[in-house]
Amino acid sequence: MQIPLQITFEGGLTASEALQRRIEHEAAKLERLSDRITSCRVAVIGRPGKRRHGDLYAVRLQITTPSEGEVVVDRNPPADHAHEDAFVTVRDAFAAARRRLLDRRRRVQGKVKVHEPPPQGRVVRLFRDEGYGFIESSDGREVYFHRNAVLNGGFDRLEPGVEVRFAEAEGEKGPQASTVHIH
């Protein structure tokens, strides 16, 4: 890190040597993940006044990198009894920071998962009495579908020429639509 790790204790908390070591350990793990971290500020926040059993801790992390920008993580838990322990709260905050840094890195590198849209087509033949039909896919193939594959009981609303989206699977006799959505 270009700027040394900054740790503060707020809300009437006194600095704990063991907790500081844990934060330094977690920050070192972050640096192994991203060696370009320029600064990391950690605030451990407790309730002001006398500590009681059952009080919850909060942790705020501010991490700056040149490529991913600033990553801010607030672990301000609802009444989660795991966060009665400052060490657990610190662990959870740094785990969230690691996930965010990795997500941002993937976005910057263009490695974001893109889901292909489902195949589209139109109903070309319908055998209403037998409970099945055929869809002509956008690439010209015919795909069989059964009335049970049409969502929300839509089989009875189908007519030849209706546009549909579908999920394709391999059936006993070739391609088969397993889920059919009416546009």
Side-chain angles (χ1 to χ4, degrees):
M1 270 180 246
Q2 294 174 355
I3 300 171
L5 176 65
Q6 298 170 339
I7 303 171
T8 60
F9 292 88
E10 300 173 8
L13 290 179
T14 55
S16 157
E17 200 58 45
L19 190 54
Q20 280 184 302
R21 280 195 308 273
R22 176 61 185 256
I23 292 168
E24 290 166 356
H25 173 74
E26 293 290 345
K29 284 170 41 179
L30 270 184
E31 275 194 291
R32 286 192 298 271
L33 175 73
S34 177
D35 61 349
R36 300 187 60 191
I37 294 175
T38 54
S39 71
C40 180
R41 291 187 297 276
V42 181
V44 181
I45 306 155
R47 290 196 178 153
K50 189 174 180 180
R51 299 285 308 153
R52 298 184 322 268
H53 179 71
D55 283 349
L56 300 176
Y57 292 92
V59 173
R60 179 178 174 86
L61 292 173
Q62 289 178 282
I63 303 161
T64 307
T65 69
S67 56
E68 289 91 18
E70 185 173 79
V71 174
V72 177
V73 174
D74 273 317
R75 275 291 169 244
N76 194 356
D80 180 357
H81 292 289
H83 291 266
E84 291 176 6
D85 184 338
F87 290 88
V88 171
T89 310
V90 165
R91 178 201 66 200
D92 290 352
F94 275 94
R98 281 190 294 278
R99 287 189 302 271
R100 287 202 188 148
L101 282 170
L102 286 171
D103 288 346
R104 288 211 178 160
R105 180 187 299 161
R106 284 186 204 107
R107 252 183 271 134
V108 167
Q109 294 173 345
K111 294 182 180 177
V112 179
K113 189 184 281 187
V114 177
H115 296 281
E116 288 188 31
Q120 296 188 21
R122 62 182 178 83
V123 176
V124 287
R125 292 185 292 163
L126 196 58
F127 300 93
R128 200 171 300 284
D129 294 339
E130 288 84 19
Y132 70 94
F134 289 89
I135 299 168
E136 182 180 37
S137 66
S138 56
D139 61 3
R141 296 176 302 116
E142 282 198 357
V143 180
Y144 165 87
F145 71 94
H146 187 271
R147 78 176 303 120
N148 294 340
V150 182
L151 295 180
N152 302 320
F155 184 79
D156 295 328
R157 295 190 315 263
L158 284 178
E159 295 293 332
V162 170
E163 298 283 325
V164 294
R165 291 186 333 256
F166 60 97
E168 188 175 325
E170 192 60 37
E172 290 179 21
K173 298 181 182 178
Q176 177 174 332
S178 61
T179 306
V180 178
H181 302 266
I182 301 172
H183 274 294

